[in-house]
Amino acid sequence: QVQLVESGGGLVQAGGSLTLSCAASGRTFSSYAMGWFRQAPGKEREFVAAITWSGDNTYYADSVKGRFTISRDKETVYLQMNSLRSEDTAVYYCAIDIKPSIESPITRVWGQGTQVTVSS
């Protein structure tokens, strides 16, 4: 059973920076990618950034491109967030796409979320 534990959220002024961390633990047959999503009050959860398990490819939402950087070190994924804006305020969720066993389909596991609040 894979579990994700996020940390690093908090309150920051507009223009500031924060780094989120997400540590994965547990056994799985294979892992495919890790990423970050966010959900602001009254809005649907949206994609922010992702990185393949090999680290060869990264993907970003247009709204964060050039400001956020995703990286991975072993079983931990990071989201470096610079030039934060009030519209970045949301609960940020970490996710990992895994294949629990050779017979099972690819499954997405979610973290519990961490609040990021950007004050203007």
Side-chain angles (χ1 to χ4, degrees):
Q1 191 85 349
V2 172
Q3 293 184 322
L4 301 175
V5 177
E6 298 135 333
S7 60
L11 174 64
V12 64
Q13 286 189 334
S17 300
L18 274 178
T19 300
L20 305 182
S21 302
C22 173
S25 63
R27 297 180 63 182
T28 187
F29 177 71
S30 59
S31 302
Y32 292 88
M34 292 186 77
W36 292 92
F37 294 73
R38 66 187 182 187
Q39 187 166 18
K43 295 188 176 181
E44 293 188 353
R45 191 172 298 188
E46 64 176 5
F47 168 77
V48 176
I51 185 168
T52 54
W53 195 247
S54 64
D56 291 343
N57 298 99
T58 57
Y59 306 90
Y60 296 94
D62 288 342
S63 59
V64 307
K65 214 171 280 185
R67 300 187 298 121
F68 291 10
T69 303
I70 189 170
S71 60
R72 190 180 70 81
D73 179 21
K74 296 182 181 177
E75 288 76 34
T76 300
V77 66
Y78 303 93
L79 186 68
Q80 174 68 45
M81 305 184 293
N82 298 326
S83 302
L84 283 161
R85 306 167 180 167
S86 57
E87 53 263 40
D88 295 318
T89 295
V91 177
Y92 283 70
Y93 296 91
C94 175
I96 183 171
D97 290 344
I98 62 169
K99 199 172 172 63
S101 67
I102 194 170
E103 303 91 359
S104 59
I106 296 174
T107 302
R108 178 162 292 170
V109 177
W110 294 93
Q112 80 284 359
T114 185
Q115 177 70 46
V116 171
T117 303
V118 184
S119 63
S120 55

mmCIF file of all heavy atoms in Angstrom, residues 3 10 22 36 43-44 47 56 67 70 83 86 88 105 119:
data_model
loop_
_atom_site.group_PDB
_atom_site.id
_atom_site.type_symbol
_atom_site.label_atom_id
_atom_site.label_comp_id
_atom_site.label_asym_id
_atom_site.label_seq_id
_atom_site.Cartn_x
_atom_site.Cartn_y
_atom_site.Cartn_z
ATOM 1 N N GLN A 3 1.650 5.148 0.357
ATOM 2 C CA GLN A 3 1.123 6.328 1.054
ATOM 3 C C GLN A 3 1.965 7.536 0.702
ATOM 4 O O GLN A 3 3.177 7.413 0.468
ATOM 5 C CB GLN A 3 1.129 6.104 2.564
ATOM 6 C CG GLN A 3 0.145 5.034 3.032
ATOM 7 C CD GLN A 3 0.107 4.905 4.531
ATOM 8 O OE1 GLN A 3 1.129 4.999 5.199
ATOM 9 N NE2 GLN A 3 -1.076 4.678 5.083
ATOM 10 N N GLY A 10 1.895 26.701 3.642
ATOM 11 C CA GLY A 10 1.887 27.777 4.621
ATOM 12 C C GLY A 10 1.387 29.070 4.027
ATOM 13 O O GLY A 10 0.787 29.089 2.943
ATOM 14 N N CYS A 22 6.699 15.916 -1.014
ATOM 15 C CA CYS A 22 5.778 14.787 -0.925
ATOM 16 C C CYS A 22 6.604 13.512 -0.909
ATOM 17 O O CYS A 22 7.297 13.203 -1.889
ATOM 18 C CB CYS A 22 4.827 14.798 -2.104
ATOM 19 S SG CYS A 22 3.759 13.338 -2.207
ATOM 20 N N TRP A 36 1.572 17.138 -8.914
ATOM 21 C CA TRP A 36 0.861 18.020 -7.991
ATOM 22 C C TRP A 36 -0.405 18.548 -8.655
ATOM 23 O O TRP A 36 -0.387 18.907 -9.839
ATOM 24 C CB TRP A 36 1.753 19.193 -7.577
ATOM 25 C CG TRP A 36 2.907 18.806 -6.723
ATOM 26 C CD1 TRP A 36 4.165 18.483 -7.147
ATOM 27 C CD2 TRP A 36 2.909 18.681 -5.294
ATOM 28 N NE1 TRP A 36 4.944 18.171 -6.067
ATOM 29 C CE2 TRP A 36 4.214 18.290 -4.932
ATOM 30 C CE3 TRP A 36 1.953 18.880 -4.298
ATOM 31 C CZ2 TRP A 36 4.579 18.074 -3.591
ATOM 32 C CZ3 TRP A 36 2.317 18.675 -2.979
ATOM 33 C CH2 TRP A 36 3.613 18.275 -2.639
ATOM 34 N N LYS A 43 -13.756 25.692 -6.497
ATOM 35 C CA LYS A 43 -13.294 25.299 -7.833
ATOM 36 C C LYS A 43 -12.953 23.818 -7.863
ATOM 37 O O LYS A 43 -12.770 23.184 -6.833
ATOM 38 C CB LYS A 43 -12.076 26.132 -8.236
ATOM 39 C CG LYS A 43 -12.365 27.611 -8.399
ATOM 40 C CD LYS A 43 -11.164 28.330 -8.992
ATOM 41 C CE LYS A 43 -11.462 29.795 -9.244
ATOM 42 N NZ LYS A 43 -10.303 30.492 -9.840
ATOM 43 N N GLU A 44 -12.849 23.300 -9.081
ATOM 44 C CA GLU A 44 -12.478 21.896 -9.236
ATOM 45 C C GLU A 44 -10.962 21.735 -9.074
ATOM 46 O O GLU A 44 -10.202 22.682 -9.277
ATOM 47 C CB GLU A 44 -12.910 21.399 -10.618
ATOM 48 C CG GLU A 44 -14.419 21.334 -10.792
ATOM 49 C CD GLU A 44 -14.818 20.664 -12.088
ATOM 50 O OE1 GLU A 44 -13.940 20.367 -12.918
ATOM 51 O OE2 GLU A 44 -16.027 20.420 -12.265
ATOM 52 N N PHE A 47 -4.772 20.303 -12.481
ATOM 53 C CA PHE A 47 -3.389 19.856 -12.639
ATOM 54 C C PHE A 47 -2.435 21.040 -12.489
ATOM 55 O O PHE A 47 -2.694 22.132 -12.991
ATOM 56 C CB PHE A 47 -3.221 19.202 -14.007
ATOM 57 C CG PHE A 47 -1.805 18.951 -14.404
ATOM 58 C CD1 PHE A 47 -1.104 17.886 -13.862
ATOM 59 C CD2 PHE A 47 -1.163 19.776 -15.309
ATOM 60 C CE1 PHE A 47 0.210 17.643 -14.223
ATOM 61 C CE2 PHE A 47 0.153 19.542 -15.682
ATOM 62 C CZ PHE A 47 0.840 18.479 -15.137
ATOM 63 N N ASP A 56 12.861 12.076 -16.627
ATOM 64 C CA ASP A 56 13.250 12.594 -17.948
ATOM 65 C C ASP A 56 12.288 13.655 -18.469
ATOM 66 O O ASP A 56 12.676 14.468 -19.312
ATOM 67 C CB ASP A 56 13.311 11.443 -18.954
ATOM 68 C CG ASP A 56 14.468 10.503 -18.664
ATOM 69 O OD1 ASP A 56 15.383 10.907 -17.907
ATOM 70 O OD2 ASP A 56 14.457 9.371 -19.174
ATOM 71 N N ARG A 67 7.276 29.652 -13.344
ATOM 72 C CA ARG A 67 7.296 30.050 -11.927
ATOM 73 C C ARG A 67 7.497 28.847 -11.003
ATOM 74 O O ARG A 67 8.124 28.975 -9.947
ATOM 75 C CB ARG A 67 5.985 30.752 -11.558
ATOM 76 C CG ARG A 67 5.708 32.013 -12.347
ATOM 77 C CD ARG A 67 4.494 32.751 -11.807
ATOM 78 N NE ARG A 67 3.268 31.969 -11.887
ATOM 79 C CZ ARG A 67 2.510 31.649 -10.844
ATOM 80 N NH1 ARG A 67 2.834 32.055 -9.629
ATOM 81 N NH2 ARG A 67 1.393 30.944 -11.012
ATOM 82 N N ILE A 70 9.095 21.339 -10.755
ATOM 83 C CA ILE A 70 8.904 20.048 -10.111
ATOM 84 C C ILE A 70 10.182 19.239 -10.256
ATOM 85 O O ILE A 70 10.856 19.288 -11.291
ATOM 86 C CB ILE A 70 7.690 19.291 -10.699
ATOM 87 C CG1 ILE A 70 7.363 18.050 -9.868
ATOM 88 C CG2 ILE A 70 7.921 18.934 -12.167
ATOM 89 C CD1 ILE A 70 6.038 17.399 -10.238
ATOM 90 N N SER A 83 7.567 33.429 -7.246
ATOM 91 C CA SER A 83 6.690 34.498 -7.746
ATOM 92 C C SER A 83 5.221 34.177 -7.499
ATOM 93 O O SER A 83 4.381 34.281 -8.411
ATOM 94 C CB SER A 83 6.947 34.716 -9.252
ATOM 95 O OG SER A 83 8.300 35.029 -9.485
ATOM 96 N N SER A 86 -1.787 35.631 -5.608
ATOM 97 C CA SER A 86 -2.955 35.318 -4.792
ATOM 98 C C SER A 86 -3.770 34.192 -5.398
ATOM 99 O O SER A 86 -4.366 33.377 -4.685
ATOM 100 C CB SER A 86 -3.818 36.561 -4.595
ATOM 101 O OG SER A 86 -4.209 37.094 -5.849
ATOM 102 N N ASP A 88 -2.726 31.592 -6.672
ATOM 103 C CA ASP A 88 -2.112 30.295 -6.390
ATOM 104 C C ASP A 88 -2.621 29.711 -5.066
ATOM 105 O O ASP A 88 -2.290 28.573 -4.724
ATOM 106 C CB ASP A 88 -0.591 30.410 -6.327
ATOM 107 C CG ASP A 88 0.031 30.791 -7.663
ATOM 108 O OD1 ASP A 88 -0.415 30.251 -8.689
ATOM 109 O OD2 ASP A 88 0.948 31.624 -7.667
ATOM 110 N N PRO A 105 -4.532 -2.586 -12.865
ATOM 111 C CA PRO A 105 -4.380 -1.413 -13.725
ATOM 112 C C PRO A 105 -3.599 -0.321 -13.019
ATOM 113 O O PRO A 105 -3.368 -0.392 -11.809
ATOM 114 C CB PRO A 105 -5.837 -0.973 -13.950
ATOM 115 C CG PRO A 105 -6.553 -1.426 -12.728
ATOM 116 C CD PRO A 105 -5.894 -2.722 -12.326
ATOM 117 N N SER A 119 -0.920 35.865 0.332
ATOM 118 C CA SER A 119 -1.575 37.126 0.682
ATOM 119 C C SER A 119 -1.094 38.241 -0.239
ATOM 120 O O SER A 119 0.086 38.318 -0.567
ATOM 121 C CB SER A 119 -1.283 37.487 2.136
ATOM 122 O OG SER A 119 0.099 37.697 2.316
#
